[in-house]
Amino acid sequence: MALSLYLRIPSRRACNLLNTSGQSNYRVVNGISHKLLLSRGLITSTVDWKPIKTEKTPNEESQNKSTLGKKIALGLMIAMPVIAFGLGTWQLKRLAWKTQLIAECETKLTYDPIKLPKNFTVDMCEDWEYRKVLLKGKFLHEQEMFVGPRVRNGHKGYYLITPFIRNDTGEKLLIERGWIAEEKVPPENRTLHHLSMPEGNNVEVVCLIRPPKERGSLQWEQEDKQSRLWQVADIYDMAAKVGCTPIHFQALYDMKDHHWDTNDKQSTASNGKSSWKFWQKNEADKQPVKQPVKRPTFEKEFDELQFARAGVPIGKQPKIDLRNNHLQYLVTWYGLSLLSSIFLIVALRKYNKGTAIAPDQLKSDKLKHAKKYM
């Protein structure tokens, strides 16, 4: 290729300066000598007109790189509608099961309280869930346990769980008595002791039966093993600590004033009377006995604020706590299956159209390939 040579000739002003100074290659300006150089420049071509030859066409090279990725993406797009449809069908079955379970539990709430069977076991809790039972016995207040903190009406507090000994069997149970304020956790801060800390062996409590649940792997574990505070109601751990049967009983919401007998009813033997002299008449029995005058009794009822200030546990409202979100899950999975099916159809159409390459596209690919190796 021909090379072009040229000389960089100084301008007319530079030549005049050379003539006035009397020197060919120097100029003095403000007492400083500046050297004027005549340079020669060389311009060469930067284009190589001999491109590298290759046996692969641009179309083949791009197809080999994208074939595996397209197959993986296509496989995922085919599997997505099938998986989403299967999960939606599973949620449909779960919805029917949960609806029936809630209906059964609501029916159980309408039943009157009954005495807890003597041979009641943990395995029977599932069938007796949300059934009202009547327990009679004694609270062990010195073994109280707490779960929380829990907020109620903007106030911080804890759920109070107290061991309870049945009168009929002597079995030791766990009863969740309800919510108490944080400042009422110490027993000395509580008032209305016949309600906040009832004494005696004849205390009657109406409770709901709840199956015990194990603590989840993502739930809080008890931080201090020596304390009586749990972050979640771990019934199995609590029962093992105080030696109770791991059954979860929840005391019902009750704002009424109760007075239980502190002593058991004495039998005839305890009164000092011999049973074999029952046919003998006592002179004292012949005298008329004065009947006590019956006075009208009024059942007093408190409100939640009075219970909270006195430290009386506020029990559980008789309602179902089971969640039924399966309808939302069903709509989500079926909707995802429909959308992914639409995307799959569009992708398959584009994939089939992309097998034939237009001449303009082929020409553009060849030019890009040529520029890559130039």
Side-chain angles (χ1 to χ4, degrees):
M1 178 180 291
L3 301 178
S4 61
L5 299 176
Y6 73 97
L7 293 176
R8 293 184 180 176
I9 303 175
S11 63
R12 181 178 298 177
R13 183 179 179 184
C15 294
N16 294 334
L17 291 174
L18 289 174
N19 295 331
T20 56
S21 62
Q23 297 180 359
S24 61
N25 54 353
Y26 285 92
R27 179 190 175 193
V28 178
V29 179
N30 296 330
I32 301 174
S33 176
H34 297 272
K35 186 176 181 181
L36 300 177
L37 299 177
L38 297 177
S39 60
R40 176 179 295 179
L42 179 63
I43 298 178
T44 60
S45 175
T46 58
V47 179
D48 188 359
W49 294 101
K50 295 181 180 180
I52 300 175
K53 295 182 180 180
T54 177
E55 296 179 355
K56 296 182 179 180
T57 62
N59 191 24
E60 292 178 356
E61 186 176 358
S62 60
Q63 282 184 353
N64 292 334
K65 291 182 179 179
S66 61
T67 299
L68 181 60
K70 287 182 179 180
K71 289 182 178 179
I72 294 175
L74 186 61
L76 293 176
M77 294 184 70
I78 294 174
M80 189 62 192
V82 178
I83 296 174
F85 185 82
L87 291 174
T89 305
W90 176 61
Q91 290 297 331
L92 181 62
K93 297 180 180 179
R94 295 276 296 176
L95 176 63
W97 166 77
K98 183 60 72 68
T99 303
Q100 182 180 0
L101 178 62
I102 293 176
E104 292 177 356
C105 292
E106 289 178 348
T107 304
K108 293 177 184 178
L109 280 178
T110 60
Y111 297 158
D112 294 331
I114 61 174
K115 290 185 178 181
L116 185 68
K118 294 182 179 181
N119 57 348
F120 193 83
T121 60
V122 181
D123 299 334
M124 301 169 61
C125 291
E126 293 290 342
D127 298 331
W128 284 66
E129 187 175 10
Y130 286 103
R131 186 68 187 270
K132 297 177 184 178
V133 293
L134 179 63
L135 299 176
K136 187 175 182 180
K138 177 183 179 181
F139 279 113
L140 302 179
H141 300 289
E142 64 276 5
Q143 298 182 5
E144 290 180 343
M145 293 172 287
F146 303 90
V147 177
R150 298 291 187 270
V151 178
R152 183 185 180 92
N153 298 329
H155 298 281
K156 181 181 178 181
Y158 298 87
Y159 286 131
L160 175 62
I161 298 180
T162 308
F164 185 85
I165 298 180
R166 298 176 60 180
N167 275 351
D168 49 359
T169 62
E171 185 181 9
K172 198 174 182 181
L173 306 174
L174 281 180
I175 296 181
E176 180 186 327
R177 298 186 59 197
W179 180 91
I180 62 172
E182 182 181 20
E183 59 272 11
K184 300 299 179 180
V185 169
E188 59 271 13
N189 295 342
R190 305 175 195 173
T191 57
L192 295 177
H193 292 90
H194 66 287
L195 295 176
S196 61
M197 301 179 65
E199 299 291 342
N201 299 326
N202 297 318
V203 179
E204 294 182 354
V205 187
V206 179
C207 302
L208 289 180
I209 298 178
R210 301 299 304 275
K213 297 181 180 179
E214 296 183 357
R215 182 182 58 84
S217 58
L218 300 179
Q219 291 180 332
W220 290 95
E221 187 179 0
Q222 187 184 17
E223 297 179 356
D224 187 4
K225 297 297 182 180
Q226 302 300 325
S227 69
R228 291 184 291 173
L229 175 63
W230 279 261
Q231 282 69 36
V232 294
D234 191 352
I235 299 299
Y236 287 100
D237 191 17
M238 292 179 175
K241 192 166 187 177
V242 295
C244 295
T245 304
I247 302 176
H248 191 187
F249 293 93
Q250 289 181 323
L252 287 179
Y253 185 87
D254 187 6
M255 296 286 109
K256 296 179 181 179
D257 190 10
H258 297 280
H259 293 274
W260 294 283
D261 297 334
T262 56
N263 297 321
D264 295 334
K265 294 181 180 180
Q266 296 180 352
S267 61
T268 55
S270 62
N271 291 333
K273 296 182 180 180
S274 178
S275 60
W276 60 273
K277 292 183 179 181
F278 67 93
W279 66 85
Q280 295 182 358
K281 294 182 179 180
N282 192 353
E283 297 296 332
D285 295 338
K286 297 179 182 179
Q287 298 178 0
V289 180
K290 295 182 179 180
Q291 298 293 335
V293 179
K294 294 184 179 180
R295 298 178 180 178
T297 57
F298 299 95
E299 194 174 40
K300 187 177 181 180
E301 189 168 351
F302 299 90
D303 56 16
E304 290 190 8
L305 182 59
Q306 291 175 328
F307 266 28
R309 290 177 177 176
V312 181
I314 301 175
K316 173 183 171 53
Q317 293 280 0
K319 62 181 181 179
I320 306 299
D321 293 336
L322 300 177
R323 296 181 180 179
N324 189 5
N325 298 327
H326 297 287
L327 180 60
Q328 300 177 7
Y329 302 151
L330 183 148
V331 174
T332 301
W333 287 118
Y334 277 151
L336 184 59
S337 177
L338 178 61
L339 291 177
S340 57
S341 299
I342 295 174
F343 292 154
L344 177 61
I345 294 173
V346 174
L348 289 176
R349 288 182 178 179
K350 289 186 177 180
Y351 183 79
N352 293 331
K353 289 181 179 180
T355 54
I357 301 178
D360 295 339
Q361 181 67 25
L362 182 61
K363 183 178 179 181
S364 176
D365 292 343
K366 288 183 178 181
L367 289 175
K368 290 180 181 179
H369 179 73
K371 290 180 180 179
K372 183 177 179 181
Y373 295 99
M374 288 174 61

